Amino acid sequence: MVKLIIGLLVLVIAVLLAVLLVQDDPGFVLIKYADFSLETSLAFGVVAVVAASLMVQLLFRILLAIWRLPASLARQSLNRRYEKSRKLLNIGLIDLAEGRFEQSEQNLVKLIEYAENPLLNYLAAARAAQQLGKYDQRDNYLKAAHDAKPEAEIAIGVTQAELQLASSQTERALATLTHLRTLVPKHDYVLKLLARVYFQIEEWALLCDLLPEVRKKKLFKEEQLQQMETKVFSGCLSAAAIKEGESLEKTWNKIPKNYQANATLILHYIRLLSQHRKDNRRSEQLLVKAIDQQWDNRLIACYGKLELEDSAAQLVTAEKWLQDYGSSDVLLLALGRICIRLKLWGKAQSYLEASIGVRPGTESCLELAR
């Protein structure tokens, strides 16, 4: 439209210039071909030439537009498909977030061949299929995502591992994460997922090797990490207890010093020791050292049940705690049990009655009844 207006302005200016030039001497223009001849004024001839030029240019543009019409229509149709594909991606993601998984899957894969980045469509469709329990279809989408963008192998692999974990396909998730670990050994999230898998399948030795790096990178909250480490070290001790020789002792010595003071681990270690040894002196050493460092009723209760050759020395140690820490129902119960083993019946009765006086408990009452 702008070009047409410019052309008309050029034509008007040409006419005005022609009129000004020939107002004194109009001149003439003669065109002759064979028997045909045309004579006109110079002004009209100039205007006619300019008009003819504009008409020829306009005709050329019309013909060119007609020639390009099929390609133009095809391009417009393609652009509409691209735009519709973008809208379907947005709608599909909203459906996925709102829990409309079936509609989400349909919208995400519709016109996916026209998607600007089909990787996003396939990954989101895999999550929708996962929610619908269509695990084979989920894997097909992940494979299609890899075919569409092989360089995004890490993103696809992480998504696949997440979905496999969510569907309790632990062994498959382990295979996926092990492969990813070889590709990106320093990838934090891959390490975190691998630690979760090892924890679920109770691969304590492998997880124990990962723990220093997991702690260094702070991949879990401190409380969660402590619970994980306690469980891992307990698992390593249990595995070592099955083996012959001094494997249990060596495993305990490899545990970090701060965890060797952990009451849960100490009690677990003592239970394992009692299954392999008749002599409880090692257990006594662990308990006395731990109780002197931190007061824990579970350790006190264990000490009271511990049967030692020198029960008299055991009684002295426990009575010293009574002086240092004061009366507690658990310590008084432990003292009562030690006195029973020493056949100090009156003293045992006094301690047990004192324990019940502090806080009546089933165990104290049973011991007193005996």
Side-chain angles (χ1 to χ4, degrees):
M1 186 65 181
V2 175
K3 292 183 178 180
L4 179 61
I5 294 173
I6 293 174
L8 292 174
L9 288 174
V10 171
L11 179 60
V12 171
I13 293 172
V15 171
L16 292 175
L17 290 174
V19 172
L20 292 173
L21 288 172
V22 301
Q23 61 181 351
D24 296 331
D25 184 4
F28 71 94
V29 174
L30 176 61
I31 299 175
K32 182 174 175 56
Y33 179 75
D35 295 334
F36 175 78
S37 63
L38 175 64
E39 183 177 349
T40 183
S41 65
L42 179 59
F44 183 80
V46 171
V47 173
V49 170
V50 173
S53 299
L54 292 174
M55 290 298 295
V56 170
Q57 185 181 14
L58 179 61
L59 180 61
F60 178 76
R61 288 182 179 276
I62 292 173
L63 293 175
L64 186 61
I66 294 173
W67 174 263
R68 293 177 176 175
L69 183 60
S72 178
L73 291 175
R75 186 167 56 254
Q76 290 178 10
S77 176
L78 188 62
N79 289 336
R80 283 195 297 270
R81 289 171 183 260
Y82 283 140
E83 182 62 27
K84 188 174 181 180
S85 178
R86 283 194 293 269
K87 290 181 179 179
L88 286 172
L89 172 61
N90 293 332
I91 294 172
L93 292 176
I94 293 172
D95 288 336
L96 181 62
E98 294 180 351
R100 294 191 292 269
F101 303 117
E102 189 170 354
Q103 298 94 315
S104 174
E105 182 187 4
Q106 293 174 358
N107 288 323
L108 289 167
V109 298
K110 191 175 182 180
L111 295 179
I112 197 171
E113 62 272 20
Y114 299 102
E116 291 181 354
N117 189 357
L119 175 67
L120 298 178
N121 295 66
Y122 283 124
L123 292 181
R127 292 187 181 278
Q130 163 93 1
Q131 295 296 332
L132 294 170
K134 298 159 61 176
Y135 301 131
D136 291 338
Q137 187 62 50
R138 174 202 67 189
D139 294 337
N140 290 336
Y141 288 141
L142 292 171
K143 183 179 182 301
H146 187 273
D147 294 340
K149 202 165 186 178
E151 62 272 22
E153 183 177 3
I154 305 303
I156 298 168
V158 167
T159 301
Q160 185 174 22
E162 286 180 333
L163 297 177
Q164 288 169 340
L165 276 173
S167 57
S168 300
Q169 296 174 317
T170 314
E171 295 297 333
R172 296 178 67 178
L174 176 60
T176 302
L177 290 168
T178 303
H179 173 64
L180 290 175
R181 178 79 169 158
T182 61
L183 297 178
V184 282
K186 295 184 179 181
H187 196 290
D188 290 356
Y189 191 55
V190 171
L191 176 61
K192 183 176 182 179
L193 290 177
L194 188 59
R196 283 178 52 193
V197 171
Y198 282 155
F199 188 83
Q200 288 184 18
I201 63 177
E202 299 185 353
E203 283 285 356
W204 307 125
L206 294 175
L207 181 52
C208 193
D209 293 337
L210 292 183
L211 282 178
E213 188 176 358
V214 170
R215 174 167 283 282
K216 180 181 178 181
K217 294 184 175 181
K218 299 180 179 179
L219 300 181
F220 296 93
K221 293 181 179 179
E222 183 61 27
E223 183 180 355
Q224 187 179 6
L225 183 58
Q226 288 180 5
Q227 292 176 354
M228 177 182 287
E229 288 175 329
T230 301
K231 185 72 174 178
V232 169
F233 295 139
S234 295
C236 290
L237 288 171
S238 297
I242 300 174
K243 301 177 183 178
E244 297 180 357
E246 298 181 356
S247 179
L248 180 59
E249 186 75 20
K250 290 180 179 179
T251 303
W252 174 259
N253 291 332
K254 290 179 181 179
I255 294 175
K257 295 297 182 182
N258 59 316
Y259 275 95
Q260 288 185 4
N262 181 286
T264 301
L265 277 179
I266 292 172
L267 293 173
H268 183 64
Y269 181 39
I270 288 174
R271 281 193 293 270
L272 295 174
L273 283 174
S274 65
Q275 296 171 8
H276 291 77
R277 297 182 180 182
K278 294 182 179 179
D279 186 0
N280 288 326
R281 282 180 295 179
R282 173 60 175 155
S283 299
E284 181 191 16
Q285 293 172 358
L286 288 170
L287 285 171
V288 171
K289 181 180 178 181
I291 292 170
D292 285 339
Q293 290 177 347
Q294 60 171 349
W295 185 265
D296 191 292
N297 285 334
R298 293 174 296 169
L299 299 178
I300 297 296
C302 181
Y303 188 78
K305 295 176 182 178
L306 200 63
E307 296 185 5
L308 301 175
E309 291 183 2
D310 192 355
S311 295
Q314 185 182 16
L315 179 61
V316 171
T317 301
E319 287 180 333
K320 182 179 181 299
W321 288 333
L322 185 63
Q323 295 175 0
D324 294 341
Y325 299 107
S327 299
S328 77
D329 60 309
V330 178
L331 178 55
L332 291 168
L333 172 59
L335 284 164
R337 283 170 168 163
I338 296 171
C339 289
I340 289 174
R341 287 194 293 274
L342 289 169
K343 298 182 179 180
L344 302 174
W345 309 118
K347 204 170 186 179
Q349 180 180 351
S350 298
Y351 280 131
L352 292 172
E353 288 175 346
S355 175
I356 295 171
V358 174
R359 189 177 68 86
T362 306
E363 292 184 79
S364 301
C365 292
L366 285 174
E367 292 291 353
L368 182 58
R370 287 175 56 197

